[in-house]
Amino acid sequence: MKTHFLRRAWSRSGFTLIELLVTISIIGVLATLILGASTAARKRADTAVCLSNLRQQSAVFAIYAAENDGSLPAALGNVDPYNSGTLVSWMMVVQYYAQMNFPKDRQRNILLCPSAMQTYPGKVARRTYAMNVAGGAGNTPQKLARFTKPSTTALVVDARAVGTAGDSSSTFGLSDINTTPEWRHQGALNVLFVDGHCQTMPASAKTDFQRYVQNFAP
């Protein structure tokens, strides 16, 4: 009797093949759910970091304007603060005022959107934003006071890579409004406006975005 009881107890102590397969399936489903939640959380965090970058850029622009008669740096054609013999884009001005070294690939800085790591060739990214030059060539500094609609005028946006060095185009305008801005935040675009506020614009707001870009024109 005792031997029979032990044999029955032992027979119930292991998994059947069906139970094992069901358990593996449940673990697989849970892993997928956890991974999906983790990926979504990372993407939301990247979007938040990108918005923080734009806010810090806005602070740099405010400091620059305070020291330059209320003008923003030109999108292009600024005197290089490191070497007065050359002309540079607004990015170099931001680097100088933010006391940044020239960024390396994947180096955390206020000109690098972390989401660009997933969209740039070879995941090489270091400076990933473009300034609006709608209505001009971008060589002339613009005074903040001239903007009549600063809260609805796009200034800096997420931008696509140019080549494989990890940099975006430094400017964009009406002619490349559909090619340079990169809607890389799960189909959305982060935008810094002239008044200093930042916004994540969904793909459904592309018509509004075009108007915000056009508002930059003198």
Side-chain angles (χ1 to χ4, degrees):
M1 185 70 178
K2 184 175 180 181
T3 301
H4 179 66
F5 173 78
L6 289 175
R7 186 181 302 113
R8 290 181 60 194
W10 178 86
S11 66
R12 291 196 303 269
S13 65
F15 283 108
T16 66
L17 179 58
I18 293 177
E19 289 172 335
L20 182 60
L21 292 174
V22 169
T23 301
I24 292 173
S25 298
I26 292 172
I27 292 174
V29 170
L30 291 175
T32 300
L33 292 174
I34 292 171
L35 180 60
S38 177
T39 300
R42 179 184 59 76
K43 290 180 178 179
R44 288 194 298 270
D46 287 349
T47 301
V49 170
C50 179
L51 286 170
S52 176
N53 288 345
L54 292 173
R55 293 188 186 99
Q56 292 178 73
Q57 291 174 35
S58 176
V60 170
F61 291 142
I63 294 170
Y64 180 91
E67 296 182 1
N68 291 272
D69 196 28
S71 293
L72 294 167
L76 301 168
N78 300 284
V79 174
D80 188 344
Y82 301 98
N83 177 10
S84 60
T86 59
L87 299 178
V88 295
S89 75
W90 67 276
M91 292 182 182
M92 291 293 287
V93 175
V94 168
Q95 287 174 202
Y96 177 79
Y97 272 80
Q99 299 182 346
M100 290 168 46
N101 294 321
F102 190 87
K104 300 177 181 178
D105 171 37
R106 301 171 184 266
Q107 184 179 50
R108 175 74 180 93
N109 71 83
I110 65 173
L111 293 172
L112 171 62
C113 168
S115 291
M117 296 296 183
Q118 307 305 318
T119 63
Y120 274 36
K123 297 187 177 181
V124 174
R126 59 181 180 179
R127 298 185 300 186
T128 63
Y129 300 98
M131 180 180 280
N132 187 5
V133 296
N139 295 318
T140 303
Q142 302 293 330
K143 286 187 176 295
L144 288 170
R146 83 153 182 86
F147 294 100
T148 59
K149 300 176 180 179
S151 65
T152 56
T153 302
L155 180 59
V156 176
V157 305
D158 289 309
R160 297 183 187 279
V162 174
T164 58
D167 289 334
S168 69
S169 171
S170 58
T171 66
F172 78 104
L174 298 175
S175 63
D176 55 357
I177 192 173
N178 294 317
T179 54
T180 294
E182 184 174 53
W183 300 70
R184 57 177 167 247
H185 297 285
Q186 295 177 281
L189 177 78
N190 280 345
V191 182
L192 167 64
F193 291 82
V194 169
D195 72 344
H197 88 275
C198 302
Q199 183 178 337
T200 300
M201 301 191 68
S204 59
K206 287 188 177 182
T207 300
D208 290 333
F209 175 64
Q210 183 170 0
R211 176 166 52 87
Y212 298 157
V213 174
Q214 290 174 328
N215 285 345
F216 192 92

